[in-house]
Amino acid sequence: MKTHQLFIDGAYVDARSGRMFDKFSPSTGEKIATVHEALAEDVDLAVNAAANALKGEWGKMPKAVRCDLLMELANAIAARTPDFIEAEVADTGHTRHFAEKVEIPRGAANFRIFAEMLKHTGGEFYQMDTPDGTGAANLELHRPKGVIGVISPWNAPFLLMTWKVGPALACGNTVVVKPSEESPATATLLGEVMNSVGIPKGVYNVIHGFGPASAGELLTQHPKVNGITFTGETRTGEAIMKQAAVGLRDVSFELGGKNPAIIFADADMDKAIEVTMRSVFANTGQVCLGTERVYVQRPVFDEYVSRLKAGAEGLKQGGPETPGATIGPLISDEHRQKVLSYYAKARELGATVVTGGGVPEFDDARQGGFFVEPTIWTGLPEDSAIVKEEIFGPCCHITPFDTEEEVIAMANDTTYGLSATILTENLSRAHRVGGQIEAGLVWVNSWFLRDLRTSFGGSKSSGIGREGGVHSLEFYTERSNLCIKL
Ligand SMILES: NC(=O)C1=CN([C@@H]2O[C@H](COP(=O)(O)OP(=O)(O)OC[C@H]3O[C@@H](n4cnc5c(N)ncnc54)[C@H](O)[C@@H]3O)[C@@H](O)[C@H]2O)C=CC1
Ligand SMILES: O=C(O)/C=C/C=C(\O)C(=O)O
C-alpha cells in the first residue's frame, strides 16, 4: 500500500493538517494508497517555498543553464519510464499501451520542447522616430510571471500536468501543483526526479487534496500565487475564475467539450472507422478532445453505424492487469454513476441503443472495477441532453445529415468549442468546412495528432486562452516594454 506525501521545498513531508484520504484502483475497486491532504498551513508552506525559490538560485540562473537542466530532467523522466507507467496505470486503470505510447513520453517531451524553444527564442525590438531626430529603441522584455498554481485533472494526469509545468519552469517560474485527488502518484514521483537532476528546492512543489474547501481552492485563493493554469470541467473553471478574481490573477483554462466528428460520404471508410474508434473510445472516452457526437452523411450512415458497432463490440475491457485489454475502466465509482445516469437518460428519451448501454459482468477482479460498456446511440433529437452535455465516457450519438450547411450548423450548435474531426477525401471541402467550425482545434482525417508548437485550447465554454508553443511562453511570462531614448 502506497502513501503519497506532499512535496514541498525539495522534500517529502506529511501534511500538517493531519488529514488523509484513500485512493482506490479503478480496475479492481481496491484501496491502493493513502494520500496526505493539504490544508491552509500546508498550502502556505508550498506557496512560500515557491516564492522564495524565485529569489534564490533558480531566479538568478541564466536561461541557457535553466533550459539545459530541463533537458536533463526530460532525459531523467525517460530513464524512469517504467516507474512512471506503473504509477500512472495504478491510479487511472489505463492500459499499459496508452501510458507507454502516449502519456509518459509526452511528459518528457513537455519539458524538452519548451526548453529547446526558450533557448532559441529571440526578442522583439522596435525602433522609433522622435521629434528631436535621435530616436528611441523599444525592447520587449519577458520576465517570469512568478508562482504558478497548476490544477490538473485525472484523465491524463502526467501528460496534462507537465504540459503546464514544462513551459512554466522553462520561462523561469516556480510551481505549486495540485494534481487531481484521483491521480496523485505521478506528480509525487516527479519530485524525486526533480531532485535527482538538481532542480533547486522550492521550484516544484506538490500538494494533494480536493477542490472546494481543500487544497485546490486554498491554492487558487493564495495571494502569493501570480497565475493559475487549469484543465478540467467548465463549472470548475468558473469557480476557479471567481477565486482568481481576488487579486486579479491571470488564468489559462482548458475546459470541457462536446466535440463533433463529421463523416462525409466521400471519406475513406476504413480511415473514418479507425479515427473515430480512437476519438470515441480512447482512454474510455475520458479525453476532453474526444468525440461524443458523430454526424454521418446519409449515403454511408448505415455502413458507418454497423462498422463502428462491430469495432466497439471488439474492444476488450480490462485494466493494466488484464493481458490484451484495449479499453479500461472509468476513473471512479462517482464518475461511473455520472456516465450511467446518461445511459439511463438515453433509454428514457427513446434512443436506439446500437450497442452497450450497461455495466459488464466479469468473473474476476474486474467485477470490483468501475467499468461501463462501450455504447453507441442513434435516433435522438439534437436538443437532447445526450447530444448537448459532456458525458466523458466511452459513448457517442450518431446523427445522419445531408448537406454541408446542415452539418456545420449542427456541429456549431453547442456551448462548447474545443475540437472537431472531419473525415473527407476532398481537400477543398476540408478547408471550407474546417474553417467554419467554431472550435480551437480541427483535425482532418486524424484525431489527437499533436504538434506541440501549435496553439492548443478551446473557444466558447471550452476555455480561456491558448497554450502550446509561443502561446505558452506568452501566458507564463510577464511582458514589459523597455523604451530607451537614444
Ligand atoms: N475537460 C477535461 O479535460 C476534464 C473534464 N472532466 C469532467 O469533469 C467532471 C468532474 O470531474 P472532476 O475530477 O471532479 O473534475 P474537476 O474539473 O472538478 O477537477 C479537476 C481538478 O480541479 C480541482 N478542483 C475542483 N474544484 C476546484 C475548486 N473550486 N478550486 C480549485 N480546484 C478545484 C480538482 O481537485 C482537480 O484537481 C468529469 O465527470 C468530466 O466530465 C474531468 C477531468 C478533465
Ligand atoms: O495533447 C495535449 O496537450 C492535451 C491533451 C488533452 C487531453 O488529453 C485531455 O484534456 O483530455
Side-chain angles (χ1 to χ4, degrees):
M1 183 80 57
K2 289 213 174 328
T3 299
H4 298 301
Q5 293 172 291
L6 315 180
F7 184 75
I8 298 179
D9 214 13
Y12 288 100
V13 294
D14 289 352
R16 303 247 174 137
S17 71
R19 289 241 290 253
M20 314 273 260
F21 61 96
D22 295 334
K23 164 67 195 159
F24 299 92
S25 160
S27 52
T28 64
E30 287 161 1
K31 180 175 165 184
I32 52 170
T34 303
V35 189
H36 285 255
E37 180 182 358
L39 289 177
E41 195 184 346
D42 306 290
V43 174
D44 207 42
L45 283 171
V47 174
N48 279 317
N52 289 337
L54 285 167
K55 298 181 208 138
E57 185 191 351
W58 182 250
K60 297 186 181 75
M61 196 178 276
K63 184 174 80 170
V65 177
R66 190 170 77 223
C67 292
D68 284 347
L69 200 50
L70 293 175
M71 294 295 276
E72 264 186 64
L73 178 70
N75 294 338
I77 291 169
R80 300 276 308 262
T81 294
D83 298 334
F84 278 102
I85 291 175
E86 286 316 310
E88 195 80 321
V89 300
D91 267 3
T92 58
H94 291 171
T95 59
R96 282 211 161 69
H97 182 262
F98 186 68
E100 189 182 328
K101 299 291 174 215
V102 182
E103 295 184 277
I104 307 308
R106 253 301 292 281
N110 286 339
F111 287 100
R112 198 171 288 125
I113 176 109
F114 290 106
E116 271 171 5
M117 188 179 290
L118 244 290
K119 214 169 164 181
H120 300 114
T121 300
E124 284 171 61
F125 167 72
Y126 301 94
Q127 193 161 5
M128 68 184 287
D129 295 331
T130 53
D132 65 4
T134 61
N138 289 279
L139 303 178
E140 287 284 304
L141 303 180
H142 288 260
R143 283 179 284 113
K145 193 162 248 159
V147 176
I148 304 293
V150 176
I151 310 277
S152 51
W154 43 259
N155 53 321
F158 193 57
L159 186 162
L160 290 170
M161 184 267 292
T162 52
W163 177 238
K164 298 167 182 308
V165 174
L169 297 195
C171 291
N173 301 284
T174 57
V175 296
V176 179
V177 176
K178 209 298 282 170
S180 168
E181 51 275 29
E182 293 293 349
S183 52
T186 43
T188 310
L189 176 59
L190 185 59
E192 216 177 289
V193 185
M194 292 270 174
N195 281 349
S196 76
V197 298
I199 300 282
K201 63 185 189 159
V203 170
Y204 174 81
N205 305 277
V206 181
I207 53 173
H208 296 297
F210 303 85
S214 181
E217 186 175 326
L218 291 163
L219 175 62
T220 53
Q221 285 178 335
H222 198 290
K224 288 192 188 163
V225 169
N226 306 106
I228 296 161
T229 175
F230 166 70
T231 297
E233 198 186 17
T234 296
R235 264 175 307 180
T236 311
E238 288 171 355
I240 293 178
M241 203 163 177
K242 285 185 195 142
Q243 290 151 204
V246 182
L248 294 176
R249 271 79 51 70
D250 202 359
V251 296
S252 175
F253 287 168
E254 196 250 289
L255 307 173
K258 189 72 184 177
N259 310 304
I262 302 174
I263 322 285
F264 284 98
D266 66 19
D268 173 331
M269 190 51 76
D270 290 343
K271 202 185 288 173
I273 295 295
E274 181 271 317
V275 166
T276 50
M277 276 299 294
R278 285 192 294 116
S279 71
V280 175
F281 298 115
N283 197 10
T284 322
Q286 302 167 118
V287 184
C288 61
L289 308 162
T291 300
E292 289 191 357
R293 299 183 288 151
V294 185
Y295 297 98
V296 184
Q297 212 161 17
R298 213 170 294 273
V300 295
F301 183 79
D302 290 343
E303 180 191 357
Y304 176 81
V305 172
S306 78
R307 288 189 60 182
L308 197 73
K309 172 182 189 303
E313 289 172 357
L315 292 169
K316 179 173 177 185
Q317 293 194 301
E321 312 81 7
T322 310
T326 49
I327 186 164
L330 295 171
I331 187 72
S332 64
D333 194 35
E334 186 188 351
H335 187 50
R336 176 161 71 164
Q337 294 315 320
K338 174 185 160 182
V339 172
L340 288 175
S341 76
Y342 282 98
Y343 284 18
K345 195 172 284 182
R347 282 194 300 275
E348 279 160 31
L349 292 171
T352 300
V353 182
V354 176
T355 189
V359 175
E361 291 285 325
F362 300 105
D363 55 11
D364 54 28
R366 288 175 293 175
Q367 187 61 21
F370 311 131
F371 292 89
V372 294
E373 289 175 336
T375 295
I376 301 171
W377 304 285
T378 57
L380 289 174
E382 284 296 292
D383 62 357
S384 69
I386 302 298
V387 182
K388 284 280 170 274
E389 296 171 16
E390 183 182 57
I391 302 172
F392 226 59
C395 53
C396 67
H397 180 267
I398 315 180
T399 304
F401 73 91
D402 294 300
T403 66
E404 279 183 16
E405 295 67 32
E406 181 192 8
V407 79
I408 291 167
M410 289 195 290
N412 286 339
D413 186 14
T414 168
T415 54
Y416 293 110
L418 189 54
S419 80
T421 295
I422 300 172
L423 278 297
T424 177
E425 291 298 296
N426 179 333
L427 187 57
S428 301
R429 166 176 278 154
H431 189 249
R432 188 168 59 239
V433 174
Q436 293 178 70
I437 301 296
E438 296 163 358
L441 301 124
V442 180
W443 281 286
V444 175
N445 294 331
S446 68
W447 176 73
F448 211 155
L449 189 55
R450 295 274 291 110
D451 180 329
L452 305 187
R453 296 167 299 182
T454 61
S455 65
F456 184 89
S459 51
K460 302 199 260 184
S461 298
S462 289
I464 293 187
R466 295 290 184 274
E467 296 196 21
V470 294
H471 311 281
S472 292
L473 307 186
E474 202 57 53
F475 176 71
Y476 292 108
T477 55
E478 200 60 64
R479 272 177 182 258
S480 64
N481 179 61
L482 183 67
C483 179
I484 305 172
K485 175 77 170 60
L486 301 173

